[in-house]
C-alpha cells in the first residue's frame, strides 16, 4: 500500500524547527525529518517517544560484569589458582581489588559492542544497504520534512510554504 507524502525542503534549522512545531500544531503527521546534523530538540518537537537505549546499555553492562566475575572466579580461583605477589589464591573477595579493573573493562566492552550491534539492528543499517535518503542535499546543507497527506493536499502545501519551505514535492511513499 502506498500513500502520498509531501516533502518540504528547508535551508535553516531554526526555520525547520518552527515549521515542525507549526505542522504538529495543525494536527498533521510528520513521517520523517532528514537533517545533515543533529538538531537539538527536534525529537521532542516531532513528538517522538524517548529512546530506551540507555536501559539496554545498562543491561549489557550488567551482562559484561557478570561474565567478568564468572570468568575471573573460574580462572583465578577454581581452575588454576596461582600465588601472584603473595595474594591468597583461594578467595575471590580477598582478590577483589586486583579484579576491579578487569570487571570495569569487561563491563564497558560488553556495553559498547552490544550497543553498536543493537543500534545497527534497530535502525536496520545492514552492510551494503542502499541509502533511504530522498534527497542527497540533506547530507550537505538542506533539511527535508516528510508530511503524510490526509485530507486537502493544497491546504497542506500552503501551510508548508507559510512555514518557510523553499521547495515542495509530492511523492508516493511505499
Amino acid at each position: 500500500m502506498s500513500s502520498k507524502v509531501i516533502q518540504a525542503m528547508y535551508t535553516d534549522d531554526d526555520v525547520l524547527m518552527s515549521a515542525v512545531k507549526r505542522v504538529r500544531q495543525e494536527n498533521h503527521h510528520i513521517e520523517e525529518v532528514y537533517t545533515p546534523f543533529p538538531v537539538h530538540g527536534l525529537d521532542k518537537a516531532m513528538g517522538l517517544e524517548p529512546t530506551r537505549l540507555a536501559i539496554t546499555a545498562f543491561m549489557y553492562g550488567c551482562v559484561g560484569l557478570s561474565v567478568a566475575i564468572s570468568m575471573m572466579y573460574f580462572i583465578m580461583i577454581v581452575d588454576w589458582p596461582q600465588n601472584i605477589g603473595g595474594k591468597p589464591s583461594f578467595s575471590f573477595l580477598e582478590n577483589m581489588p586486583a579484579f576491579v579493573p578487569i570487571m570495569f573493562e569487561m563491563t564497558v566492552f560488553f556495553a559498547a559492542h552490544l550497543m553498536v550491534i543493537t543500534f545497527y539492528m534497530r535502525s536496520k543499517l545492514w552492510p551494503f544497504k542502499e541509502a533511504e535518503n530522498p534527497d542527497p542535499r540533506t547530507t550537505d546543507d538542506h533539511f527535508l520534512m516528510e508530511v503524510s497527506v490526509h485530507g486537502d493536499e493544497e491546504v497542506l502545501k500552503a501551510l508548508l510554504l507559510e512555514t518557510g519551505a523553499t521547495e515542495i514535492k509530492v511523492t508516493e511513499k511505499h
Side-chain angles (χ1 to χ4, degrees):
M1 180 180 139
S2 64
S3 59
K4 279 187 177 181
V5 292
I6 294 181
Q7 296 176 342
M9 188 73 72
Y10 296 89
T11 56
D12 187 4
D13 59 332
D14 293 328
V15 174
L16 170 76
M17 192 66 133
S18 62
V20 166
K21 290 176 184 174
R22 175 86 189 277
V23 168
R24 293 247 317 142
Q25 194 175 40
E26 298 287 330
N27 295 323
H28 294 287
H29 177 66
I30 299 172
E31 292 287 333
E32 188 65 69
V33 176
Y34 298 91
T35 63
F37 53 83
V39 178
H40 180 70
L42 185 60
D43 53 345
K44 287 188 177 151
M46 288 178 62
L48 299 177
E49 293 181 14
T51 181
R52 294 182 303 266
L53 285 176
I55 297 168
T56 59
F58 176 75
M59 291 188 319
Y60 293 153
C62 289
V63 169
L65 181 63
S66 301
V67 168
I69 290 171
S70 302
M71 177 188 74
M72 289 182 303
Y73 181 77
F74 179 74
I75 292 171
M76 298 299 289
I77 306 301
V78 175
D79 186 42
W80 197 7
Q82 296 180 36
N83 186 353
I84 301 173
K87 294 184 182 118
S89 59
F90 55 85
S91 171
F92 184 82
L93 289 177
E94 289 178 2
N95 286 318
M96 180 69 81
F99 293 159
V100 167
I102 299 167
M103 291 187 297
F104 173 76
E105 291 299 330
M106 289 291 281
T107 302
V108 172
F109 179 84
F110 270 70
H113 286 79
L114 291 175
M115 282 303 296
V116 168
I117 293 168
T118 301
F119 172 75
Y120 284 142
M121 288 174 60
R122 182 74 180 104
S123 59
K124 297 182 179 99
L125 288 175
W126 311 113
F128 311 110
K129 182 178 188 303
E130 292 288 323
E132 295 178 6
N133 199 350
D135 193 319
R137 292 178 292 173
T138 59
T139 61
D140 188 21
D141 62 348
H142 284 71
F143 305 86
L144 188 135
M145 177 172 41
E146 282 186 348
V147 183
S148 57
V149 178
H150 298 295
D152 192 4
E153 184 178 315
E154 296 304 319
V155 172
L156 184 55
K157 281 184 186 178
L159 173 67
L160 292 171
L161 284 173
E162 275 180 39
T163 61
T166 57
E167 296 176 33
I168 291 183
K169 184 169 70 169
V170 179
T171 61
E172 292 288 327
K173 188 85 170 185
H174 301 284

